[in-house]
Amino acid sequence: MDSSAPPREPILTLPGALTAYVALLAIIHGVCALLPLDLDDLVFGLFAFIPKRYDQTLLAMPFAGGTPAKIWTFVSYSLLHANLSHIGFNVLWLLPFGSALARRFGAVRFFLFMAVTAAAGAAAHLLTHEHALAPMIGASASVSGAMAAAIRFAFVRGSFLSFNRGDADEAARVPALPLLRSLRDPRVLAFLAIWFGTNIIFGVGSIAIGAEGASVAWQAHIGGFFAGLLLFSLFDPIPRLPREFDAPSSDLAEPH
């Protein structure tokens, strides 16, 4: 046995960037849980995403934070959660997909990606809930974006959802397929069908997960998902395969 061989890192060991992101969500939620009710309401008024905040009609009303809050709430809402089950559900889905993405992108790209997909989710929610007064919170749009980005390389041989994978860092750095090529992979199509079907069922059926009395903002999920799927290449530091090697993902050689 070659004792000089480096140890293989477990596939689900969390990278530092994801650990920091999850810790930030937990700390913010913990602090909000300890606040008096009036201060908690103020925090939500300042940092939750409220479509009514952008109302330009005569029915417009003032909100905490004024004009600057119209900018930061496109991202800050994603750091707030209603309760432990709400934050736990988001973190549960983020662990496998966000872990691979954080390893691949590095900390700066990962945090920027989560912010961009959160903003895309807020934009989709605003388009479909114009004038709505109910606040939207939660990291679901960013989590959806991370899932969409991860499937661009997740099924490639050697990656974290393949049956022939290496250690965590190696699995996160396999070359991604072009978007159109990915969308011809039956496994990716099956994943998309399940993901969209689940969101439509929970959204149209008004089934809430993790937030009593609150419906799922499935339009924001879809906005974040499409942003992650389409913008992945702008963040990806790993060179794609040359066109001559654009083979079906099941036939790709395992990276060395």
Side-chain angles (χ1 to χ4, degrees):
M1 181 180 294
D2 184 4
S3 60
S4 63
R8 296 170 74 83
E9 188 174 358
I11 199 76
L12 287 180
T13 300
L14 297 185
L18 180 60
T19 301
Y21 181 79
V22 172
L24 177 63
L25 296 182
I27 291 171
I28 290 174
H29 183 72
V31 170
C32 289
L34 296 175
L35 292 176
L37 185 58
D38 55 341
L39 287 181
D40 188 54
D41 289 341
L42 176 60
V43 168
F44 274 64
L46 280 170
F47 299 109
F49 187 81
I50 306 172
K52 185 71 174 177
R53 194 191 301 271
Y54 305 90
D55 197 337
Q56 299 298 316
T57 69
L58 294 176
L59 299 177
M61 54 191 297
F63 285 90
T67 299
K70 293 183 177 182
I71 300 174
W72 72 56
T73 54
F74 266 87
V75 175
S76 61
Y77 82 94
S78 66
L79 303 178
L80 300 171
H81 290 83
N83 49 43
L84 288 177
S85 58
H86 188 200
I87 190 173
F89 188 83
N90 280 331
V91 170
L92 179 65
W93 280 107
L94 186 61
L95 290 182
F97 298 96
S99 179
L101 209 61
R103 292 180 189 282
R104 187 180 186 93
F105 285 176
V108 174
R109 283 189 178 93
F110 176 73
F111 293 136
L112 182 58
F113 177 87
M114 297 300 278
V116 168
T117 49
H125 186 73
L126 179 60
L127 288 174
T128 54
H129 292 77
E130 189 178 10
H131 310 308
L133 188 57
M136 180 179 70
I137 57 174
S140 299
S142 295
V143 173
S144 298
M147 295 172 71
I151 65 171
R152 293 287 301 272
F153 62 93
F155 294 104
V156 175
R157 180 175 297 178
S159 193
F160 71 104
L161 288 184
S162 74
F163 292 102
N164 185 12
R165 66 192 183 201
D167 63 24
D169 287 327
E170 182 180 315
R173 292 189 173 92
V174 298
L177 294 176
L179 177 58
L180 293 180
R181 179 65 189 85
S182 297
L183 295 178
R184 294 198 297 269
D185 188 322
R187 295 165 297 179
V188 173
L189 293 177
F191 182 94
L192 292 174
I194 294 171
W195 189 90
F196 277 98
T198 301
N199 273 272
I200 291 173
I201 289 172
F202 279 100
V204 175
S206 297
I207 302 173
I209 297 179
E212 293 86 347
S215 59
V216 175
W218 60 276
Q219 295 93 340
H221 296 186
I222 291 176
F225 191 91
F226 272 115
L229 191 67
L230 298 175
L231 300 179
F232 167 79
S233 297
L234 297 180
F235 292 86
D236 189 21
I238 309 298
R240 275 196 266 168
L241 290 173
R243 183 171 294 277
E244 59 267 26
F245 293 107
D246 183 15
S249 57
S250 59
D251 296 334
L252 294 177
E254 186 175 357
H256 298 283

